[in-house]
Amino acid sequence: MRGEPSRVLNSSKEITVVTNETNSKVSRRIVLRAGVFGAAAALAGRAAAQQKIAQPAVLYQATPKGDQECDKCVQFEAPSGCKVVAGTISPKGWCVAYAAKPTK
């Protein structure tokens, strides 16, 4: 398999990476650190690109539930959006993600 690296764990707990161009040794510690930092970066990217929840999943309805309505919720984004629910949102709607805005 030409051009593809092969990895071998030898008795000295080093990983040997062999390619056609180079022969180098990388310690297990370096590989583990790279994995940890890679996982952390992936989670950070995932949080930044978080998707909104579908309306049926949060039991969204276009009418209020008592005095609870979207325009009184901290998640509401005027004129017809929400930080957590996907799609067009009625200011007079409601869902289970409702969280009242703090009173002044």
Side-chain angles (χ1 to χ4, degrees):
M1 295 205 263
R2 192 172 189 153
E4 293 182 299
S6 60
R7 291 168 180 83
V8 178
L9 185 61
N10 61 28
S11 61
S12 66
K13 295 185 181 179
E14 290 181 336
I15 296 175
T16 303
V17 179
V18 180
T19 64
N20 288 343
E21 294 80 34
T22 64
N23 182 359
S24 61
K25 292 186 178 188
V26 180
S27 73
R28 179 184 276 178
R29 182 176 293 160
I30 291 172
V31 172
L32 290 174
R33 281 185 186 164
V36 168
F37 288 121
L43 288 175
R46 183 177 180 190
Q50 203 171 52
Q51 292 185 347
K52 294 184 178 186
I53 304 167
Q55 292 179 0
V58 291
L59 306 176
Y60 172 78
Q61 59 190 41
T63 56
K65 182 175 183 180
D67 65 342
Q68 297 179 352
E69 52 191 50
C70 292
D71 62 357
K72 295 178 183 175
C73 176
V74 296
Q75 309 296 348
F76 184 69
E77 295 178 321
S80 60
C82 179
K83 294 176 185 173
V84 296
V85 181
T88 302
I89 303 297
S90 168
K92 300 299 178 194
W94 177 88
C95 78
V96 297
Y98 176 83
K101 289 180 182 176
T103 56
K104 294 178 183 180

